[in-house]
Structures are given as structure tokens and as C-alpha cells.
Amino acid sequence: MIKKLLCLFVFIAIVYSGFQIGKPYYHYRAFKSDLEDLAKVEIGTSPEALQQKIIDVAEEYSVPLKEKDIALSKRGKGYVINVSWEEEINILDIYRKTVDFSVNTSQSD
């Protein structure tokens, strides 16, 4: 019985750790996809309005993005969006790691 409980505990710990490690990477991929769509669709938008839309999308995915982390540059009728941020992965204060993420929509063409 104790062996089964120990195995169950180890299994739960592995699943929890995998979830904690995978969550920021999932948010990165989903956020990157939405930014690539924004860069293609928001052609006539002002830079300030586009920056606010980027911040709104970041909040939707729990991406800790600030205005200073966003760089917009005009390209043709559209924009190139460059964003970068850091997230900390923390598993029960036993494992901590800071991960840097960046998205550059010019590379998605």
C-alpha cells in the first residue's frame, strides 16, 4: 500500500512539474501566433493602438509584458513587432529558473 502511494505521489509530482514548466512555453507559442496575426491584419492602425492590442493579448495569455518590452517598426503598410520578456518557472521553491522569450514577426514571413 505504501509503495502504491509513493508511486502515486511521484506521478503527481512529475505531472505538476511538467505543467509548471510547460505553461510558459504554451503561452509563448499562443502569444506568438496571435502577434503574427496582428502584424498581418492591423495595417492601418496607429502604433499606440497596436501597442495597446499587444498588451491586451499579453494579458489574455498571462504574459508579463510591459510597454517598454514592445518595439514596433513600420514596414510597407504594416508593422514589424518585436517583443521580449522574462518569466520565472518556480516549482515549490525547489526549482527556479528564469526563461527569456522573444517574438519577432519579421521572421514569420
Side-chain angles (χ1 to χ4, degrees), residues 82-95:
N82 291 305
V83 296
S84 60
W85 70 96
E86 293 180 344
E87 279 192 65
E88 182 178 278
I89 297 173
N90 181 2
I91 301 174
L92 301 174
D93 288 332
I94 296 170
Y95 175 80

Side-chain angles (χ1 to χ4, degrees), residues 18-85:
F19 179 74
Q20 292 293 28
I21 291 170
K23 188 169 48 170
Y25 291 98
Y26 168 76
H27 290 160
Y28 163 74
R29 298 294 297 176
F31 182 63
K32 179 180 177 184
S33 175
D34 282 1
L35 280 188
E36 290 169 351
D37 291 343
L38 270 178
K40 293 175 186 173
V41 174
E42 300 297 326
I43 293 174
T45 306
S46 71
E48 296 81 18
L50 182 57
Q51 188 171 23
Q52 186 57 48
K53 286 184 181 185
I54 292 169
I55 290 172
D56 292 343
V57 172
E59 289 175 0
E60 180 181 326
Y61 290 112
S62 302
V63 172
L65 195 64
K66 297 175 182 66
E67 287 184 22
K68 67 177 178 74
D69 299 328
I70 302 170
L72 299 174
S73 57
K74 192 85 167 149
R75 182 180 59 188
K77 294 181 181 179
Y79 289 96
V80 174
I81 303 170
N82 291 305
V83 296
S84 60
W85 70 96

Side-chain angles (χ1 to χ4, degrees), residues 1-12:
M1 179 70 173
I2 292 178
K3 184 177 179 181
K4 288 182 181 181
L5 287 176
L6 184 61
C7 288
L8 181 62
F9 175 76
V10 169
F11 176 75
I12 290 171

